Amino acid sequence: VLPWALGTFWPFLAAWALAAALDRPARFLTARLGLRRGVAAVALVSLTVLAAGGAAAGLCSLLVPQAVQALADWPRLWSGVVAGAESLVRGAVPAGTAWQEAQRRLGEALGGLLSGAVELAGRAALALPGLLFGAAVFVMAAVCLCADYPRLRARLVRCVPREARGFCAGVKRVAAEALGGWVRAEFLLSAMVFAILLGGFLLTEEPYGALLALALAVLDFIPVAGAGTGMLPWAAVELLRGSLGHALRLTALWGVAALARRLAEPRVVGGQTGLSPVESLVSLYVGLKLAGVAGMIAGPVLWVILRGVARGGVWDGTLRDLREALRDLRAILAGR
């Protein structure tokens, strides 16, 4: 049910989150400037949408020309990818029947990759009208919710039993801090990697540098992947093709980005989530074992939530009851 609910109601959920974030600025405008809540909501949502649209437009102006050029050069780029992959396989597999089998599997893998890319592009094109309509609904819902947020929030609080309000408020506060801190930390680290890669690609005049830097930064956002997942095989293919200088430049740029991330990660993650390096490592490992990549992302967040809830004394009564039960059990056993 959860994926369906998120896919259906995401404009309203995102609008509620934006209304909650803009509640304090709206109160400031109504108290200091004497604006009506609806006028303040329209102004704040409009400024937020314009700022986000301006940032997206600036990024698109940098990426779209390179994406169009990449599509125009796609046959040449694809033949280079095939040649590089064949060189990589030829270096690891001897000639003969094994090499023919490797060629066959390589062709199947590349064909599957191309089919997947075409299918993904088709799905994105089909989903674009719905996404644009959802964005329009999101803007209208954000204005309505921001204008009426205090009353709606009070009604929602009244629906929660009085004895559970303190618990829900504590969980909400800890969850917001944990999830927000983790996302901010990963976003800051990925933004730093993007800036380093973009600067390196511009200095080395790498074709499609901005597009490649963005793709690698998105890959770096995934904990189990990282930018090296794309850059190191790329450097290996360039080395096998005879482009030693290009391979060394790619390896050196990846080394700089990886070193900067490793140096900044403990401070950024610890500062945003309050986790020590050991806690971060344990939560990442346990999350990976339990739920794969999604578990790596959710593990630190859930650990921060559980730790905050425990520190808030939510389970003190339960632990006290367990201690009493153990004492009663020992007394019963001793009496026997």
Side-chain angles (χ1 to χ4, degrees):
V1 175
L2 185 60
W4 172 84
L6 293 176
T8 303
F9 298 105
W10 71 264
F12 303 99
L13 297 175
W16 180 268
L18 181 60
L22 296 178
D23 182 49
R24 287 188 178 180
R27 291 183 180 181
F28 175 82
L29 292 179
T30 54
R32 294 296 180 89
L33 302 182
L35 297 178
R36 295 179 59 185
R37 178 79 187 200
V39 176
V42 171
L44 288 172
V45 172
S46 300
L47 288 175
T48 303
V49 171
L50 288 176
L59 189 61
C60 289
S61 66
L62 184 64
L63 296 178
V64 169
Q66 295 189 10
V68 172
Q69 185 63 33
L71 290 175
D73 295 341
W74 177 250
R76 180 179 61 82
L77 294 174
W78 184 252
S79 62
V81 170
V82 174
E86 288 181 350
S87 300
L88 184 62
V89 175
R90 188 181 295 114
V93 180
T97 306
W99 166 239
Q100 294 176 357
E101 178 66 17
Q103 280 185 314
R104 184 184 66 81
R105 293 190 177 185
L106 175 64
E108 292 177 355
L110 294 176
L113 181 63
L114 180 60
S115 300
V118 172
E119 183 180 358
L120 182 62
R123 289 181 180 178
L126 292 175
L128 185 60
L131 184 61
L132 293 176
F133 180 73
V137 172
F138 159 73
V139 174
M140 292 185 290
V143 172
C144 297
L145 291 175
C146 186
D148 207 18
Y149 181 78
R151 186 179 66 84
L152 293 175
R153 183 178 180 277
R155 290 180 59 183
L156 183 62
V157 169
R158 284 197 297 270
C159 295
V160 180
R162 185 177 300 275
E163 59 274 8
R165 291 178 186 176
F167 171 78
C168 293
V171 171
K172 174 190 172 184
R173 176 182 56 80
V174 175
E177 292 177 356
L179 182 59
W182 181 257
V183 171
R184 283 195 302 269
E186 291 300 320
F187 178 79
L188 289 174
L189 292 172
S190 297
M192 180 187 67
V193 171
F194 171 75
I196 293 173
L197 294 179
L198 180 61
F201 287 151
L202 292 178
L203 287 176
T204 57
E205 298 181 352
E206 185 73 37
Y208 323 111
L211 202 61
L212 291 171
L214 179 63
L216 291 170
V218 172
L219 192 63
D220 184 77
F221 189 82
I222 303 174
V224 74
T229 306
M231 295 192 70
L232 292 181
W234 182 12
V237 170
E238 292 296 329
L239 181 61
L240 291 174
R241 292 179 61 189
S243 301
L244 178 60
H246 194 194
L248 290 177
R249 287 193 298 271
L250 290 174
T251 305
L253 183 57
W254 169 78
V256 171
L259 179 62
R261 180 181 176 89
R262 292 300 173 266
L263 292 176
E265 190 169 18
R267 182 180 297 274
V268 173
V269 174
Q272 296 292 338
T273 63
L275 289 179
S276 66
V278 174
E279 289 177 312
S280 300
L281 183 61
V282 171
S283 59
L284 286 171
Y285 179 77
V286 174
L288 175 64
K289 286 295 185 179
L290 293 178
V293 178
M296 289 190 68
I297 299 174
V301 177
L302 292 177
W303 174 247
V304 173
I305 293 173
L306 292 175
R307 189 185 63 176
V309 169
R311 288 179 177 177
V314 173
W315 292 319
D316 289 349
T318 303
L319 294 176
R320 187 166 52 251
D321 292 341
L322 289 175
R323 286 193 292 267
E324 292 288 342
L326 288 175
R327 280 196 293 267
D328 293 342
L329 181 60
R330 282 199 298 267
I332 294 172
L333 294 177
R336 289 183 178 178

